[in-house]
């Protein structure tokens, strides 16, 4: 899928959505108490009657929904009785309801410091800390509460949410599953529990949780988010069922249709995905993402010109998005006659996104295919400067250096790559390919190195056709024809649309006297020669 896979192949992952997090935090703050029924186990001296009067006025105002007046009155109470944890905590609650989280947290902390054994105040503090992103502090307070009462449902709920944010999915599932009555009331908590189960590999448990969401009378948007969770976990069947269940009622037809099309694409139903996307564009629901995915659907079905046109539309609709240039350039770079157009796209990409390593990688790739090796060296060097941790930029640089006649530099770059990226198949394959060419030029050690690299590549991942092709081609050159046939057949099985593999097989069969098989392979080569994207 080229750059499309890297930039947009998965839906949103990770932390709970901010709006859901806000709703759940408010729920936790109110779960066991409201301002009129806070029961703190206090051991402090009785506050002044004036402070108590202000506090009572503040609580009455909060009941009436007048949080501004409530805040004012509680501030007066706290000023008169600064060491009263009830006033401090109630003011913190009112501030929390107004999203003044930093200040709310400071008042809860003061209250806890005065009365450390008060679990209700500590629970409010933990909820605020969670909102502020102070996850370890929140978790520490919740563990304290649960050490006192392991069945504190709001604490269990919040501990599960915090653990999920900390990516401790085992703890998240454990805590959340102990408070089912609260989790089932909060779709946002159900999403977190389902995500945790998916991360733990417990798909059936995740599906049960998501099924509760879709089975309840909830906002269709929550079901859509549930579908996103299933999609992120590559549970495409569940995701599609969730998305289809809200198709009649979901207001955002473009987002829903795009989500369904992505599942169809991921499950290789390219024609179905194309139909879904085409229906959206016919309704005027156009976006860069829709046209980009439409282009990839067309590309997968061999509709090259339509694919390029769709990706051009994506660029035109949202020129600020780098990924569309990379997708378009990648597709164009796969056709020899489109290399010049691909280079123009790459040049525009590096102009618009001068700090993008991927844009420079695209430029280097096209320049290499055009045999502008010196230019490619500069492009890949820049890509590697921008992102030293990318294997693609390093291997691209080595190939460009070899093409430019910089043999020593190319070998040094490959060797660097083997140290930095020892499991990267492209380094092994490309270094082997260059080594074989060096052997043809008289480097006696190069052939042995190439064979070792290719065998290592196969031992690490035997699903890649290139090592089998290279070893098969080498066996054919050495006259080991039967061995060559076996290796090349394996490469053909792994990549049936590789013209070069079928051409090599036709030569091998011909040398074995198997003329009918040779002719069949040559016909396959001829049919693929013009339509196959560049290697």
């Amino acid at each position: 899928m080229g750059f499309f896979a890297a930039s947009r192949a998965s839906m949103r992952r990770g932390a709970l959505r901010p709006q859901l997090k806000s709703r759940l935090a408010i729920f936790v703050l109110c779960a066991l108490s409201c301002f009129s029924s806070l029961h703190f186990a206090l051991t402090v001296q009785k506050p002044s009657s004036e402070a108590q009067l202000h506090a009572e006025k503040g609580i009455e105002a909060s009941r009436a929904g007048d949080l501004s007046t409530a805040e004012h009155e509680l501030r007066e109470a706290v000023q008169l009785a600064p060491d009263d944890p009830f006033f401090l905590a109630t003011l913190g609650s009112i501030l929390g309801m107004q999203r003044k989280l930093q200040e709310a947290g400071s008042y809860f902390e003061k209250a806890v410091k005065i009365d450390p054994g008060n679990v209700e105040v500590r629970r409010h503090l933990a909820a605020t800390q969670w909102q502020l992103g102070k996850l370890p502090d929140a978790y520490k307070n919740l563990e304290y509460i649960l050490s006192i009462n392991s069945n504190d449902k709001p604490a269990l709920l919040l501990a599960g949410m915090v653990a999920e944010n900390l990516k401790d999915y085992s703890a998240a599932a454990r805590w959340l599953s102990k408070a089912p009555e609260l989790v089932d009331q909060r779709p946002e908590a159900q999403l977190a529990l389902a995500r945790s189960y998916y991360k733990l590999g417990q798909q059936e448990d995740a599906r049960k949780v998501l099924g509760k969401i879709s089975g309840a009378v909830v906002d269709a948007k929550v079901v859509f988010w549930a579908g996103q969770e299933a999609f992120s976990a590559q549970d495409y069947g569940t995701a599609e069922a969730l998305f289809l269940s809200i198709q009649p009622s979901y207001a955002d037809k473009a987002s829903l249709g795009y989500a369904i099309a992505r599942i169809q694409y991921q499950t290789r139903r390219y024609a179905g995905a194309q139909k879904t996307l085409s229906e959206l564009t016919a309704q005027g629901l156009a976006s860069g993402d829709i046209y980009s995915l439409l282009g990839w659907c067309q590309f997968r079905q061999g509709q090259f010109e339509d694919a390029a046109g769709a990706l051009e539309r994506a660029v035109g609709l949202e020129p600020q998005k780098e990924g569309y240039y990379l997708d378009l350039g990648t597709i164009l770079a796969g056709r020899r006659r489109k290399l010049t157009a691909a280079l123009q796209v790459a040049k525009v990409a590096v102009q618009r996104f001068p700090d993008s390593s991927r844009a420079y990688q695209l430029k280097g790739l096209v320049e290499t295919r055009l045999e502008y090796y010196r230019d490619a060296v500069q492009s890949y060097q820049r890509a590697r400067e921008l992102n030293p941790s990318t294997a693609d930029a390093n291997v691209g640089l080595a190939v460009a250096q070899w093409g430019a006649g910089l043999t020593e530099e190319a070998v040094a770059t490959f060797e660097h790559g083997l140290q930095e990226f020892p499991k990267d198949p492209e380094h092994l394959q490309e270094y082997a390919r260059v080594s074989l060419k060096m052997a043809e030029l008289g480097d006696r050690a190069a052939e042995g190195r190439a064979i070792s690299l290719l065998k290592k590549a196969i031992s690490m991942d035997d699903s890649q056709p290139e090592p089998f092709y290279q070893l098969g081609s080498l066996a054919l050159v050495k006259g080991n024809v039967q061995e060559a046939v076996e290796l090349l057949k394996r490469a053909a099985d792994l990549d049936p649309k590789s013209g070069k593999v079928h051409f090599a097989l036709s030569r091998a069969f011909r040398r074995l006297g198997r003329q009918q098989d040779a002719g069949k392979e040559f016909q396959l080569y001829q049919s693929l020669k013009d339509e196959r994207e560049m290697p």
Side-chain angles (χ1 to χ4, degrees):
M1 206 186 303
F3 287 102
F4 172 82
S7 58
R8 291 183 300 283
S10 63
M11 292 192 177
R12 185 223 43 92
R13 299 176 182 266
L16 194 68
R17 291 172 180 81
Q19 63 268 40
L20 293 183
K21 193 171 184 179
S22 174
R23 285 167 50 190
L24 187 60
I26 291 172
F27 167 75
V28 172
L29 285 171
C30 298
L32 291 187
S33 62
C34 63
F35 301 131
S36 62
S37 60
L38 289 170
H39 301 294
F40 298 137
L42 308 180
T43 58
V44 298
Q45 62 183 11
K46 185 177 180 180
S48 71
S49 57
E50 187 177 356
Q52 184 68 40
L53 182 61
H54 282 294
E56 290 173 358
K57 288 181 179 179
I59 291 171
E60 289 301 319
S62 72
R63 287 175 178 163
D66 185 357
L67 294 181
S68 177
T69 298
E71 177 186 342
H72 172 75
E73 294 295 341
L74 262 299
R75 286 189 186 278
E76 291 293 327
V78 167
Q79 187 172 1
L80 291 167
D83 295 328
D84 189 307
F86 175 81
F87 298 158
L88 291 167
T90 306
L91 176 55
S93 295
I94 292 170
L95 291 169
M97 294 297 177
Q98 297 177 89
R99 310 295 301 143
K100 298 177 181 179
L101 298 177
Q102 288 286 357
E103 196 174 9
S106 69
Y107 283 106
F108 286 134
E109 285 176 357
K110 290 176 183 178
V112 167
K113 188 174 181 179
I114 295 169
D115 187 12
N118 193 301
V119 295
E120 291 196 23
V121 180
R122 196 178 287 270
R123 190 187 305 111
H124 283 63
L125 173 58
T128 305
Q129 289 169 328
W130 177 52
Q131 283 278 75
L132 292 169
K134 298 179 179 180
L135 301 181
D137 292 337
Y139 202 57
K140 182 178 179 181
N141 280 311
L142 292 164
E143 284 184 317
Y144 176 87
I145 295 170
L146 292 169
S147 70
I148 296 173
N149 178 8
S150 62
N151 199 39
D152 187 317
K153 299 302 184 181
L156 286 168
L157 175 68
L158 188 53
M161 301 304 295
V162 173
E164 195 275 332
N165 285 173
L166 288 168
K167 302 187 187 306
D168 186 349
Y169 300 112
S170 179
R174 183 173 69 255
W175 296 130
L176 290 171
S177 63
K178 289 182 177 180
E181 61 272 34
L182 295 187
V183 170
D184 290 348
Q185 295 173 32
R186 313 305 301 179
E188 51 271 36
Q190 290 175 301
L191 293 176
L193 179 56
R195 189 183 310 121
S196 297
Y197 281 139
Y198 275 130
K199 294 292 185 180
L200 294 170
Q202 299 173 220
Q203 276 207 350
E204 285 305 316
D205 289 326
R207 289 169 183 161
K208 288 178 183 177
V209 174
L210 296 181
K212 288 183 180 180
I213 293 177
S214 62
V217 180
V218 298
D219 186 346
K221 186 174 289 186
V222 177
V223 179
F224 181 79
W225 289 333
Q228 286 182 307
E229 292 298 342
F231 182 96
S232 295
Q234 299 181 7
D235 185 359
Y236 298 128
T238 299
E240 187 168 15
L242 288 166
F243 290 141
L244 291 175
S245 73
I246 58 172
Q247 204 168 27
S249 60
Y250 197 62
D252 190 349
K253 301 298 183 184
S255 294
L256 181 60
Y258 177 71
I260 293 170
R262 294 190 71 178
I263 293 172
Q264 293 169 322
Y265 184 93
Q266 291 292 342
T267 52
R268 299 185 179 183
R269 290 175 285 160
Y270 303 125
Q274 181 175 340
K275 181 175 183 293
T276 299
L277 295 164
S278 296
E279 289 173 353
L280 294 177
T281 59
Q283 298 172 44
L285 301 175
S287 71
D289 278 349
I290 287 173
Y291 273 105
S292 177
L293 184 54
L294 176 59
W296 282 105
C297 292
Q298 293 165 330
F299 176 77
R300 292 302 184 198
Q301 297 175 89
Q303 303 165 18
F304 176 79
E305 296 296 338
D306 290 338
L311 286 163
E312 287 172 357
R313 289 289 303 275
V315 170
L317 284 170
E318 300 183 58
Q320 76 280 7
K321 289 193 176 181
E322 175 191 355
Y324 301 148
Y325 296 88
L326 304 180
D327 289 346
L328 175 58
T330 299
I331 282 184
L332 293 172
R335 294 294 185 276
R336 292 195 196 313
R337 66 183 183 276
K338 294 293 184 179
L339 285 174
T340 301
L343 183 57
Q344 292 305 312
V345 172
K347 286 180 176 179
V348 172
V350 297
Q351 288 174 354
R352 283 186 172 270
F353 312 100
D355 296 326
S356 169
S357 174
R358 292 193 301 156
Y360 277 100
Q361 284 184 62
L362 174 62
K363 186 168 178 283
L365 170 68
V366 179
E367 289 164 340
T368 298
R369 290 181 174 176
L370 284 167
E371 299 183 0
Y372 300 164
Y373 295 118
R374 294 281 178 175
D375 292 339
V377 167
Q378 293 182 9
S379 295
Y380 278 121
Q381 283 177 335
R382 180 59 179 154
R384 197 170 68 166
E385 288 171 2
L386 290 167
N387 185 6
S389 64
T390 175
D392 290 345
N394 191 81
V395 73
L397 174 59
V399 171
Q401 288 170 328
W402 165 256
L406 305 172
T407 304
E408 292 183 5
E409 290 88 342
V411 170
T413 302
F414 275 126
E415 291 292 341
H416 168 76
L418 291 180
Q419 292 180 0
E420 290 291 314
F421 316 103
K423 296 184 178 180
D424 179 57
E426 287 297 316
H427 273 89
L428 296 168
Q429 294 172 26
E430 289 300 322
Y431 195 10
R433 186 177 62 83
V434 167
S435 295
L436 288 173
K437 291 184 178 180
M438 292 172 66
E440 293 173 3
L441 297 174
D443 187 337
R444 295 182 179 179
E447 182 178 300
R449 181 173 66 227
I451 293 172
S452 176
L453 289 166
L454 292 168
K455 288 183 177 180
K456 182 178 180 181
I458 291 173
S459 69
M460 290 172 55
D461 181 4
D462 62 0
S463 67
Q464 299 296 318
E466 187 65 19
F468 291 102
Y469 167 74
Q470 293 288 355
L471 287 171
S473 297
L474 182 60
L476 188 60
V477 170
K478 290 182 171 296
N480 302 325
V481 184
Q482 189 58 50
E483 180 185 355
V485 167
E486 295 303 319
L487 289 164
L488 292 169
K489 284 175 65 177
R490 182 67 183 277
D493 289 340
L494 292 169
D495 189 1
K497 292 189 176 182
S498 173
K500 67 181 183 181
V501 172
H502 289 294
F503 181 73
L505 262 175
S506 72
R507 292 176 57 216
F509 282 135
R510 187 167 289 108
R511 290 180 61 177
L512 287 175
R514 295 167 58 176
Q515 300 302 328
Q516 185 175 355
D517 289 332
K520 179 181 177 182
E521 293 297 331
F522 190 77
Q523 286 180 350
L524 283 170
Y525 160 70
Q526 290 281 53
S527 66
L528 293 166
K529 180 174 63 174
D530 295 330
E531 65 184 59
R532 171 73 173 180
E533 65 257 39
M534 294 184 67

